[in-house]
Amino acid sequence: MPRLKTHDEALRLRLINRAAATVFDRGAAALSLRQLAAEAKTSTTAVYSLFGNKAGLLASLYEEAARLFVVRLGTVHPTADPAYDVIRLGIAYRDYALANPHLYAILFSDSLAQFEPAEEGQREMLEMYQPLVDAVRRGQRDGQFTVELAPEVVALACWATAHGLVSLELSGNEPPGLAIADSYERMLRAVVTGWRTAG
C-alpha cells in the first residue's frame, strides 16, 4: 500500500494563502512558520519540507502571486483593436487586485520590504508587463499609438495609471465624492486617447 502524500499541492497553496493574509495584515516580520503551521493544522515539518525556510516561503508567495496575475492577464486575448486591448488589460489588472488584495499587496506594495525577488521572480515580473507592451507595439504598428516613444514607455505610463487608480481604491484614499469604480474604464480610455494623439 503506497504512503499517502500529505505535503501536497493543496497544502502548499493553503499555507501560501494563509501566509499572504498574515503578511497583508501585519507585515512579513509577523510571519511565523510555527504559527502558520498551527493555523493551517499541519506541522512545522510540513512547512519546512515544502518551502525550506521563511525565505523560501516568501519567495513562493511572490511567485504564486505573480503566476496568478499572469494567468489573469492571459485571459485577455489580442483582438484587431490593440488600443482597446490596453484598456481590457487595465480592467483585468483591477479585477485581479480586487479579487486578491493580499496577493496584489505581495506584488506591488511594501509588504515584503526586505524581500528581493530571485531571478525567477524577476522573469515573472517581465511576464506580467509583456502583454501590455505587446498590445502597445501592435497599436504603434497599426497607427493607433505614437511611435515617438518606445512601446515599453507607453506601456509603463498606462500601467502606472491603472496601478495608481487601483491602489487608491484599495487603500480607501479616493478623493471625497469620487468613486474610482464608477469611472475606472473611462479614465483608462482617456489615457489611451492621449497616447493616440501624443507626439
Side-chain angles (χ1 to χ4, degrees):
M1 181 78 114
R3 294 179 60 188
L4 292 176
K5 186 178 180 182
T6 56
H7 303 170
D8 58 10
E9 181 66 7
L11 176 59
R12 190 184 76 86
L13 291 177
R14 191 161 80 248
L15 288 166
I16 283 177
N17 284 327
R18 285 184 175 273
T22 297
V23 172
F24 179 65
D25 290 335
R26 293 179 283 150
L31 185 61
S32 158
L33 300 190
R34 185 183 300 275
Q35 181 64 30
L36 176 66
E39 290 174 358
K41 296 182 172 48
T42 188
S43 65
T44 51
T45 300
V47 178
Y48 282 107
S49 175
L50 287 165
F51 303 108
N53 52 30
K54 184 174 177 178
L57 174 58
L58 293 177
S60 293
L61 270 181
Y62 183 89
E63 289 163 11
E64 182 65 10
R67 184 188 71 78
L68 292 175
F69 188 84
V70 169
V71 167
R72 180 65 187 88
L73 294 186
T75 66
V76 180
H77 301 294
T79 70
D81 186 351
Y84 184 53
D85 291 346
V86 170
I87 295 167
R88 292 168 59 229
L89 286 164
I91 292 170
Y93 183 103
R94 178 173 178 266
D95 289 346
Y96 173 86
L98 295 184
N100 308 282
H102 57 303
L103 295 178
Y104 177 85
I106 294 295
L107 291 174
F108 299 117
S109 80
D110 60 356
S111 296
L112 299 183
Q114 305 300 316
F115 173 70
E116 286 291 334
E119 184 176 335
E120 180 72 10
Q122 294 171 353
R123 181 185 63 78
E124 287 165 343
M125 178 59 78
L126 289 175
E127 287 181 1
M128 290 187 279
Y129 187 43
Q130 197 60 48
L132 188 56
V133 174
D134 291 342
V136 170
R137 183 176 287 114
R138 288 188 296 109
Q140 289 178 325
R141 190 172 57 240
D142 294 351
Q144 290 185 315
F145 290 123
T146 177
V147 295
E148 293 191 8
L149 289 172
E152 291 81 4
V153 174
V154 177
L156 180 58
C158 294
W159 181 301
T161 298
H163 176 75
L165 292 171
V166 168
S167 296
L168 285 172
E169 184 176 11
L170 286 178
S171 66
N173 287 321
E174 297 159 294
L178 290 176
I180 287 170
D182 294 339
S183 52
Y184 180 78
E185 183 172 345
R186 290 198 298 274
M187 287 187 279
L188 293 184
R189 286 182 180 277
V191 171
V192 168
T193 298
W195 284 109
R196 283 177 185 265
T197 58

